[in-house]
Amino acid sequence: VIAFLRLWLTRPTFMIKQGFSFGTPVKAAAYSVRPTSSGGLMVESFIVENGLSKSGKVSEDGKIHDPYRVDYLRDHFREILKAVNTDRVPLIGYTMWAPIDLISLSSREAEKRYGFVFVDLDNSGNGTYQRKKKDSFFWMKKVIASNGNDLE
């Protein structure tokens, strides 16, 4: 059995600081999840669709600066590492909501930016559809290259 946890919360500290303890239900989005199996054995977990939507624009320097996304991911990764290394949560995977900006299915908006790759598109469908790497792209590339050891 694998528990798929959707982390749609604004802060990653839900696991540690919001009263998370093994064997108690955790609210993640609209789902109630029990992170342990019967008999006290922990269930392998896979975090899916974790992300942050924010408007984003190309700056005058031609880049997309999104320090809020880096902070969001860094905070989540630190808490995930604590859960795995300290609390021994058997995490087998993690995925972001989307690595590239996409149209929000719930609101039909393109200005809600989810990924670390910017897509030139507005809410009316206008734009060049060109893709541009955000600052968070380069940060994530560094995190991956360091196997999660460099979160700065």
Side-chain angles (χ1 to χ4, degrees):
V1 174
I2 297 175
F4 290 92
L5 307 174
R6 286 185 170 174
L7 303 183
W8 289 347
L9 305 172
T10 56
R11 303 297 296 175
T13 52
F14 82 97
M15 291 196 327
I16 307 302
K17 296 181 180 165
Q18 297 294 323
F20 177 86
S21 63
F22 299 111
T24 59
V26 174
K27 283 286 188 184
Y31 303 94
S32 181
V33 186
R34 185 172 290 278
T36 62
S37 65
S38 60
L41 300 173
M42 287 188 269
V43 174
E44 291 180 322
S45 300
F46 196 113
I47 297 171
V48 297
E49 296 183 355
N50 176 239
L52 168 74
S53 69
K54 287 265 194 178
S55 297
K57 295 184 179 183
V58 179
S59 300
E60 288 184 21
D61 63 4
K63 297 180 181 179
I64 298 97
H65 304 293
D66 59 343
Y68 49 83
R69 189 172 323 281
V70 171
D71 291 343
Y72 176 89
L73 291 169
R74 181 186 299 120
D75 288 348
H76 275 76
F77 292 168
R78 283 182 177 151
E79 292 300 320
I80 289 168
L81 285 170
K82 280 186 211 171
V84 169
N85 296 329
T86 304
D87 300 327
R88 300 292 186 223
V89 172
L91 182 69
I92 60 172
Y94 170 91
T95 62
M96 288 184 55
W97 186 271
I100 189 168
D101 291 343
L102 46 82
I103 296 172
S104 173
L105 290 175
S106 63
S107 66
R108 307 290 189 251
E109 294 174 294
E111 71 183 30
K112 291 173 105 178
R113 309 257 173 210
Y114 292 94
F116 39 77
V117 176
F118 178 87
V119 178
D120 180 25
L121 180 67
D122 68 15
N123 286 341
S124 300
N126 301 315
T128 65
Y129 292 83
Q130 277 189 311
R131 282 120 171 105
K132 194 174 254 257
K133 297 170 185 169
K134 300 177 187 179
D135 289 349
S136 58
F137 174 91
F138 299 104
W139 178 83
M140 188 64 140
K141 183 178 176 181
K142 181 181 69 165
V143 169
I144 292 168
S146 74
N147 198 27
N149 292 314
D150 185 358
L151 297 178
E152 295 308 314

